[in-house]
Amino acid sequence: MTEEYKVLIGGEWVKAGSGEMMDIINPATGEVIAKAPKCGPADVDKAVGAAVQAAPAWAAKTVGERSKVLLKLSQLIMGHHEELAKLETMEHGSPIRKTMNFDVPLCAEQFEYFAGVARAMTGETLPVGPWCMSMTVREPLGVVGLITPWNFPALMVVWKLGAALVTGNACVVKPPSIAPLTTLRLGELAMEAGVPAGVVNVITGPGDTVGEALVRHPDVAKIGFTGDTVTGRRIMNVASDTVKQVGLELGGKNAFIVLADADIDSAVEGAVWSAFFNSGQVCAAASRFYIHESLYDEFAAKFVAAAKLVRYGDPTNMETVMGPLAYAGHRDKVESYIEEAKKEGAKLLLGGKRPDTPDTKKGFFVAPTVFGNCNNSMQFMQDEIFGPVVGLVSFKTPEEAVALANDTRYGLSASVWTKDVRTGLALAGQIKAGTVWVNEHLIVFCETPWGGCKQSGWGKDLSTMVLEEYTMTKHIYIDLIGQPMKPWYGLLK
Ligand code: NAD
């Protein structure tokens, strides 16, 4: 029988007020694997109410006390390593090789990181005068809404939840409607770790009702959002009614620049990794490849040869490195971009069709797809496809490569491949993106800030910078001398 999940509100597992449920589909098989509550605005209101009740006591704990809860949660995640990995593989189609070795251990590590780093958070004393003392303190925001995408269902919520919790906020989490199960399980583990009832609430349902009700809610101080740029724009609009803070981690169309002196074999390895990891469903995936004309043919041939070796198929097989796309509609969207690229005159070098093997027949698979002879005026070179589809462009000078890389509405990440570190650094300075890697692409650490510019959003996840995103800086002024000596009082006398 299909398992029926409930949502977490105020420490209780409950159904949606309407009783409605949504099907959760395994994208590798097309089968319904579970049902999750299809909540609505009334459920959001209950979850926010529970968070409002719980917030003051959680904020009043010491950071050390909150930190210990996060450490316990980190241990519980590793204690349920295989179970969580299998759940994410089932609901999202990520290969088990990835969820076991990447997603789940990283989730545990993120909680550890936030548990530690928040304890080093400080305020300032400010030198405004001998007659007074001015200082800043960091305070929790209160209730925060965390809205997350499906491409890394667990990791994306942990990035936000860890920072929001350790800084003393109560959270209402809205996971992706197509893949909410891992987040619900994380909510359960959070309770087991000692997060008090109401401090973490998880409500499932469609973005345009549940997500939007959360953004609209007057008692929610901030929305931490990761998702599509179009949704981010809508969230900014809705949040403006209550002048709510929003953190926006949005889409990307990321450039991969191979200079004439690059080590071509490592660039090819990096290219395959950054284009096809998670089936290209990564905000920072490399999708626009700019290759120096002297290397173009060799790079294209080696890249295609290496991409052919990517083992896609059944994600529950430990040998599989690339699974399906997350849902049928997304597969269709990716395929429509492939057709568009063909029409625009891009030369298909690899893939471009559904694989036809026994273990990919029922799922939402697209094979690794590489186009050559591309240019930036092609629509598929401007839009975020969010699938295993990339285009190659040849350039003559580093200046041209930078101009091509910057010719996008996005600004999330880019990489430069060169043996000359000085050139790499110079180009990194000229590329408009939140992260530029030199001789690497798609590597993120807890310690390093993550977030884009332009239409890739604003604000930072990870690093010490995220602590500022989930706290308010309050200035406190203390008079030290008493009234008679204050010259400005004379202005009214
Ligand atoms: P999406 O915008 O469709 O959905 C993200 C979340 O927002 C989901 O939980 C969804 O239900 C909710 N939502 C949808 N409409 C809403 C509304 N009107 N109000 C409030 N919430 C709403 O994005 P997606 O398809 O789930 O994820 C893919 C996108 O996420 C890609 O664009 C990708 O680049 C981006 N992403 C960015 C980063 C980053 O760090 N910059 C990381 C991962 C993914």
Side-chain angles (χ1 to χ4, degrees), residues 147-150 174 207 211-212 225-228 231 250-251 283 384 450:
I147 303 181
T148 54
W150 48 257
K174 201 318 248 163
E212 202 152 313
F225 172 74
T226 298
D228 191 80
T231 317
L250 309 178
C283 52
E384 182 186 46
W450 184 254

Side-chain angles (χ1 to χ4, degrees), residues 111-431:
F111 278 123
E112 260 178 38
Y113 172 75
F114 289 124
V117 77
R119 300 188 74 163
M121 201 164 52
T122 57
E124 291 178 314
T125 53
L126 305 159
V128 288
W131 59 84
C132 65
M133 187 172 168
S134 253
M135 67 178 99
T136 60
V137 292
R138 295 271 189 77
E139 292 182 353
L141 299 173
V143 175
V144 296
L146 309 177
I147 303 181
T148 54
W150 48 257
N151 66 326
F152 293 96
L155 201 53
M156 289 299 101
V157 73
V158 169
W159 278 18
K160 296 184 189 308
L161 191 61
L165 278 181
V166 80
T167 47
N169 299 283
C171 306
V172 178
V173 182
K174 201 318 248 163
S177 3
I178 61 157
L181 306 183
T182 333
T183 307
L184 288 166
R185 186 69 180 110
L186 284 173
E188 200 171 10
L189 292 177
M191 300 279 292
E192 199 178 324
V195 172
V199 170
V200 172
N201 306 275
V202 184
I203 42 166
T204 55
D208 54 1
T209 50
V210 172
E212 202 152 313
L214 192 56
V215 180
R216 208 175 281 288
H217 204 292
D219 293 337
V220 173
K222 172 174 180 138
I223 294 292
F225 172 74
T226 298
D228 191 80
T229 295
V230 173
T231 317
R233 224 174 268 144
R234 172 77 191 152
I235 286 177
M236 272 179 80
N237 271 321
V238 175
S240 70
D241 283 348
T242 45
V243 197
K244 197 177 260 98
Q245 285 186 48
V246 288
L248 299 174
E249 300 290 351
L250 309 178
K253 187 75 184 176
N254 310 284
F256 186 108
I257 300 175
V258 184
L259 296 179
D261 71 340
D263 174 338
I264 195 158
D265 292 330
S266 29
V268 166
E269 262 196 61
V272 173
W273 156 253
S274 56
F276 304 123
F277 178 62
N278 208 25
S279 306
Q281 302 170 121
V282 184
C283 52
S287 53
R288 297 182 295 138
F289 286 79
Y290 301 108
I291 318 297
H292 189 264
E293 57 180 358
S294 63
L295 300 179
Y296 182 88
D297 290 339
E298 186 187 353
F299 181 89
K302 286 186 164 171
F303 182 35
V304 166
K308 266 186 197 157
L309 302 178
V310 170
R311 294 185 304 276
Y312 54 81
D314 176 6
T316 62
N317 180 342
M318 208 44 164
E319 294 303 307
T320 298
V321 297
M322 196 177 115
L325 297 181
Y327 60 98
H330 184 52
R331 186 258 326 264
D332 297 347
K333 180 188 133 187
V334 171
E335 285 181 339
S336 73
Y337 273 109
I338 292 174
E339 292 314 310
E340 180 76 22
K342 288 180 192 162
K343 276 191 215 141
E344 287 180 305
K347 185 175 169 198
L348 185 63
L349 303 178
L350 180 71
K353 55 180 191 296
R354 289 184 192 181
D356 188 23
T357 55
D359 62 344
T360 56
K361 267 207 164 71
K362 289 191 195 148
F364 314 135
F365 289 85
V366 172
T369 298
V370 181
F371 284 101
N373 297 3
C374 302
N375 62 62
N376 276 11
S377 63
M378 295 172 170
Q379 197 60 41
F380 94 104
M381 290 294 281
Q382 288 294 331
D383 293 352
E384 182 186 46
I385 300 176
F386 221 51
V389 181
V390 305
L392 311 187
V393 178
S394 140
F395 69 86
K396 287 185 172 36
T397 64
E399 294 73 26
E400 188 192 352
V402 169
L404 287 167
N406 285 337
D407 174 25
T408 168
R409 60 186 181 277
Y410 294 108
L412 189 58
S413 73
S415 62
V416 180
W417 296 75
T418 172
K419 288 198 188 110
D420 181 350
V421 172
R422 279 184 302 181
T423 309
L425 190 54
L427 263 60
Q430 293 162 31
I431 294 170

Side-chain angles (χ1 to χ4, degrees), residues 30-86:
E31 286 161 7
V32 175
I33 48 164
K35 287 180 183 291
K38 188 173 179 183
C39 293
D43 303 295
V44 173
D45 204 40
K46 279 189 197 145
V48 174
V52 167
Q53 290 285 313
W58 181 244
K61 286 193 184 296
T62 65
V63 65
E65 286 169 323
R66 291 194 296 262
S67 161
K68 285 193 181 77
V69 175
L70 261 66
L71 287 173
K72 176 80 179 147
L73 179 52
S74 168
Q75 287 161 5
L76 284 171
I77 287 171
M78 288 318 282
H80 294 80
H81 188 162
E82 197 175 335
E83 176 210 331
L84 287 165
K86 282 184 174 161

